[in-house]
Amino acid sequence: FSWDRKGHNMSLISAATRARHCAAPIARSTKRSVKIYTRTGDKGKSSLFNGQRMEKDSATFSALGAVDELSANVGMAREFCIDAGNPLASKLALIQHHLFDVGAHVATPRAASEDAKLARTAFDEKRVELLEEWIDKLSGDLPPLTAFILPSGGKSSASLHLARTVCRRTEREIVPLVRAGEVDSEVGRYVNRLSDLLFMAARAAAKHDGREETLWKPNATEDTA
């Protein structure tokens, strides 16, 4: 993620979108062309939404990169779900939008940003409640766990497991920022709950696709795996 002075995410959005102010209605268009490259990051620094210049290997940009990677993995899982006719795809699409909001929040350090930008990037805690509702619904439709599960169960399921592992790493990147007061706790809670949702979604995808989940066999050999 890198942001220009008007709050455009220069890493994730298209050139056409970059020409818009991020608060403008989506229907608004412009003929102005914006280049993909800006050269402003060639010396190892980039800008946050609040205009602050920061080293690209800082904790904040590490967290932003993890959020970006997580969204990409969720997007891949969503495409597999679409191919399989799995209704989980719509939930995954909404999650990607929420992850973009997470990125905007992380790119606006709470202790160093003006009130207008803080308000614009506030993260709604009701999104955590929504994930919990989805988890409870999926859990009720699945058989109980009797052993640890290996990432498996078809392409949709395995890709959701991959997204889950990236989500856990994203959480590890965000936790220090929450502790430092740079990110609100609701964002940390959302990412934590999201990993649980992705695990349940992986199990649900295996069931939807009629694929068997591979159970962990301790001390497995070539003959027993």
Side-chain angles (χ1 to χ4, degrees):
F1 288 76
S2 76
W3 302 78
D4 69 10
R5 293 179 181 177
K6 291 187 177 181
H8 303 138
N9 185 321
M10 303 300 286
S11 300
L12 295 182
I13 54 180
S14 67
T17 306
R18 290 174 197 166
R20 307 184 191 109
H21 193 281
C22 61
I26 194 168
R28 185 180 300 171
S29 62
T30 178
K31 294 182 179 180
R32 197 181 76 164
S33 176
V34 178
K35 291 183 177 181
I36 294 295
Y37 58 90
T38 65
R39 298 192 178 98
T40 59
D42 288 353
K43 294 183 179 180
K45 287 188 176 182
S46 192
S47 297
L48 299 176
F49 180 45
N50 65 357
Q52 181 180 358
R53 297 287 292 176
M54 188 175 289
E55 298 288 346
K56 291 185 176 182
D57 59 354
S58 67
T60 296
F61 274 110
S62 292
L64 288 170
V67 173
D68 190 10
E69 186 178 350
L70 173 56
S71 180
N73 277 271
V74 172
M76 179 64 74
R78 176 174 176 263
E79 292 300 320
F80 283 130
C81 286
I82 290 172
D83 291 344
N86 191 330
L88 280 172
S90 61
K91 290 181 171 58
L92 298 178
L94 181 57
I95 287 168
Q96 285 188 283
H97 286 286
H98 289 172
L99 287 174
F100 206 103
D101 294 333
V102 168
H105 183 100
V106 173
T108 313
R110 311 329 272 172
S113 300
E114 61 188 34
D115 290 344
K117 285 186 168 60
L118 292 175
R120 193 159 149 198
T121 57
F123 195 81
D124 190 349
E125 64 182 6
K126 291 182 179 179
R127 294 172 180 176
V128 178
E129 297 173 4
L130 178 61
L131 292 184
E132 291 174 347
E133 291 176 9
W134 290 352
I135 291 169
D136 292 341
K137 177 63 170 63
L138 291 173
S139 180
D141 294 337
L142 291 168
L145 283 172
T146 59
F148 289 106
I149 296 172
L150 303 183
S152 56
K155 292 179 180 179
S156 297
S157 178
S159 63
L160 284 162
H161 277 296
L162 179 58
R164 171 184 57 80
T165 65
V166 176
C167 189
R168 285 298 190 195
R169 176 159 52 80
T170 301
E171 181 185 10
R172 293 193 295 273
E173 299 283 358
I174 287 177
V175 163
L177 299 177
V178 174
R179 188 182 302 122
E182 299 297 334
V183 170
D184 288 341
S185 60
E186 288 80 5
V187 171
R189 290 178 59 223
Y190 180 85
V191 177
N192 182 30
R193 209 69 80 251
L194 178 57
S195 63
D196 296 330
L197 183 278
L198 291 171
F199 176 76
M200 298 307 298
R203 297 201 65 211
K207 179 181 177 182
H208 177 275
D209 295 347
R211 298 292 297 271
E212 184 177 352
E213 296 175 294
T214 302
L215 303 182
W216 172 51
K217 297 178 181 179
N219 303 311
T221 66
E222 289 186 60
D223 294 331
T224 62

